[in-house]
Amino acid sequence: AQSVTQPDIHITVSEGASLELRCNYSYGATPYLFWYVQSPGQGLQLLLKYFSGDTLVQGIKGFEAEFKRSQSSFNLRKPSVHWSDAAEYFCAVGALFGNEKLTFGTGTRLTIIP
Amino acid sequence: GAVVSQHPSRVICKSGTSVKIECRSLDFQATTMFWYRQFPKQSLMLMATSNEGSKATYEQGVEKDKFLINHASLTLSTLTVTSAHPEDSSFYICSARKLPETDTQYFGPGTRLTVL
């Protein structure tokens, strides 16, 4: 069965500092990986996704993620965070075919301090 | 674009009543929609997969008679919580897949259900 682990429940970063959110997955085949962001009381917005090709994926809002098969990881990064980046971040793994379900990690809450 | 809306955004109801939540894909057709439930400070749990014109597929442990799902058109799926109880209070989020990118789910803004 597929699973996603986000080891960090809560991260606090100063505005302007760099950010890395960790995500590890377990999947029997080639995974399709996603990062979503959720603001309080809101739905999820897709930041970026990886299916194949270049392992460094660029997303919206200046985010990027790197797929490392050897480490089963898909960490999210941003060089310089803004106060508006404070939110909950979810990593998810899915399949293009088959049952096509998404499995989400437990999320990482990001707090930005001035 | 790929916009998904939900209505209502917030609903409060009395115990024993039924509540219907709508999920609409506004600018695309969605043959498949998904319903999730999210408890406070927790991740999303898939409840069911809704396919247009056919019965929904429920995840293990989800009562299909309690959570009725209807996907009557390519842009609308509804979730009805029947005989709601306080333990059904939660944040319900739907998502839809936009053809031809069947790999990506676009999420609605969610519906906060409070059962008194």
Side-chain angles (χ1 to χ4, degrees):
Chain A
Q2 58 201 52
S3 66
V4 177
T5 301
Q6 292 181 248
D8 304 305
I9 296 174
H10 184 203
I11 285 183
T12 300
V13 178
S14 298
E15 189 168 15
S18 62
L19 170 71
E20 182 169 30
L21 302 182
R22 296 184 290 167
C23 172
N24 293 97
Y25 67 90
S26 174
Y27 194 70
T30 300
Y32 292 87
L33 295 158
F34 305 83
W35 274 100
Y36 286 89
V37 60
Q38 183 181 34
S39 297
Q42 301 294 315
L44 276 68
Q45 180 182 22
L46 179 67
L47 284 176
L48 47 79
K49 58 187 178 182
Y50 171 78
F51 297 144
S52 64
D54 192 346
T55 56
L56 185 62
V57 181
Q58 301 297 320
I60 63 171
K61 303 184 178 185
F63 285 94
E64 66 177 26
E66 186 172 11
F67 171 61
K68 293 185 177 180
R69 184 186 298 275
S70 61
Q71 298 177 20
S72 297
S73 69
F74 188 57
N75 294 347
L76 181 71
R77 301 194 294 249
K78 187 170 184 178
S80 176
V81 297
H82 186 262
W83 64 267
S84 60
D85 293 325
E88 189 88 17
Y89 291 80
F90 292 96
C91 180
V93 64
L96 179 60
F97 302 108
N99 62 22
E100 303 168 342
K101 299 175 186 177
L102 278 182
T103 298
F104 285 85
T106 50
T108 297
R109 183 161 61 93
L110 176 64
T111 298
I112 308 295
I113 56 177
Chain B
V3 181
V4 177
S5 71
Q6 281 185 241
H7 179 78
S9 58
R10 187 183 297 268
V11 58
I12 301 173
C13 69
K14 292 182 179 180
S15 185
T17 61
S18 295
V19 174
K20 179 184 286 188
I21 302 171
E22 293 185 347
C23 176
R24 293 182 184 273
S25 55
L26 298 184
D27 52 1
F28 65 98
Q29 293 184 332
T31 56
T32 303
M33 290 183 171
F34 302 85
W35 285 96
Y36 294 84
R37 184 173 179 177
Q38 185 180 30
F39 292 100
K41 301 187 186 301
Q42 295 188 26
S43 189
L44 283 74
M45 292 179 54
L46 179 64
M47 298 174 64
T49 302
S50 168
N51 293 294
E52 187 268 336
S54 64
K55 290 183 178 181
T57 302
Y58 290 82
E59 294 300 296
Q60 190 173 7
V62 177
E63 300 175 60
K64 61 180 181 180
D65 294 331
K66 180 166 189 60
F67 299 99
L68 301 179
I69 292 173
N70 183 21
H71 194 158
S73 77
L74 288 173
T75 59
L76 174 64
S77 175
T78 61
L79 168 68
T80 301
V81 183
T82 62
S83 186
H85 288 91
E87 57 265 31
D88 298 323
S89 298
S90 191
F91 194 55
Y92 293 88
I93 306 177
C94 74
S95 70
R97 277 213 303 265
K98 174 187 176 184
L99 295 175
E101 19 170 339
T102 57
D103 40 44
T104 301
Q105 294 182 28
Y106 293 91
F107 286 79
T111 296
R112 171 76 59 195
L113 170 63
T114 302
V115 184
L116 302 177

